[in-house]
Amino acid sequence: MTAIDSLTDAVPAARAADISELPIPPYRGNTLPSIDYDAHPAYGGMFPRPTFRERLYALNVFLRTFAFVTIRRIVDYDNMPLLTKEAGFSGLNARTALRYISMYARIRASRAIGTLTGARRPAVPDNPALLNKIKSDGIVCLTLAPDELDQIRSVTNPAFAKLDERRAGIAPEKRKFDDNVYWCTRSADPEAFAAVENIFKRYGIMEAASAYLGRPAGVKHVNAQINDQDLAFWKRVFPDTQLADPWGSYLHIDATYGMLKCAIYVHEIGPDGGPFCYVRGSQNAKIGWFEGMVRRTNDFSGFSGRRPDARKKFMALPAFLRKKADFGGDLPDNSPDVARLREGHFAATSNYGNCVLFDGNGMHRGGMVNKGERRCLFILLAEI
């Protein structure tokens, strides 16, 4: 029996989850922060009123992107197989479109049959403590045992080595966010998936995720990620202005649906090392279907960018469509919402644990490294 056989065939021995209590109170708001863009010095305070042509163009882009985001929701794209360059996806054309449409149709049909027959249902955790914690706080910090962390380091070393090689070929100032992420695949990195799945089953994380999402769930993605002080994406928020960077820079909700995420630190991470941060309990903020779609549409369309051209297009939208998933950089420090956000803002440094499970529908940020570099795994739990 090989090491991989033993990982996949053996039933992992259950271990009690070591869950850290959070030292801060929950978010006191019940909505996402409201931003007056007309009065914002980098938006309405800088640009002239948009022309009719500019408004028409912006609305056209928005509506087309809204249709795209709607189709993603209908086909449940976030719970479908991986489409990345590591998985062999080279771009969308007629051939790949036909291939993935037929694949999605088969998966949707299979899931519909499973729902009707009762075969497709969420798990029931043996111990509800983990599930109750994620329901109340949106984030849970656990501590994996040293042998488990050593195992994860061992099976993900090849992924980090490939990522190091990629990054070495790109000058730091030219690196984009995706240049710092390596997407593992089950075919190329089976040990990484097997190790994570066994550890998650051991602590009941898989069952808690399934119960929380209300559907069967498994490990969909295992991503190696490296952030360092050279990638200061959260600084110079408005590069064409002299405005100071706001406290809320990079605070956002995810543009995805129907999944939980988990960050595993493969080394110690302190306050300057880019710890994952979360506004405790903010996943319970009320975001209606339409508002959520609007925020995600603006992110997908590029209107949430903060260069002058993106901000100008964003301001050409009607006021009720001026909402972003990536809103933190636009939130002025004198906003009354900032006090509530600060109160519930939690930085998950290593002293609280090395495994951080969270709901991306809550307000969060991370990878804001001031010193050195941060190496961690991001695992996505969704229906597979």
Side-chain angles (χ1 to χ4, degrees), residues 144 148-149 151-157 159-160 163 181-182 184 191-193 195-196 199-200 221-227 261-267 269 276 354-356 358 374-380:
L144 304 182
E148 294 168 332
L149 203 56
Q151 183 186 23
I152 286 175
R153 290 191 190 102
S154 175
V155 298
T156 58
N157 274 339
F160 279 107
L163 186 52
V181 180
Y182 178 84
C184 299
E191 299 94 337
F193 279 86
V196 169
I199 290 170
F200 280 12
H221 299 168
V222 176
N223 304 337
Q225 183 172 319
I226 300 175
N227 297 99
K261 294 184 178 181
C262 184
I264 296 180
Y265 301 155
V266 298
H267 62 89
I269 294 179
F276 178 78
N354 50 30
C355 179
V356 184
F358 66 97
R374 182 191 76 165
R375 291 178 177 244
C376 71
L377 290 181
F378 273 95
I379 296 98
L380 277 66

Side-chain angles (χ1 to χ4, degrees), residues 301-334:
S301 69
F303 288 173
S304 64
R306 294 186 175 86
R307 294 191 177 279
D309 57 332
R311 303 201 314 268
K312 191 173 182 180
K313 291 172 184 174
F314 180 75
M315 286 303 296
L317 290 173
F320 75 98
L321 297 180
R322 294 186 210 140
K323 299 178 185 294
K324 302 181 182 181
D326 179 14
F327 63 86
D330 297 337
L331 191 60
D333 286 347
N334 61 358

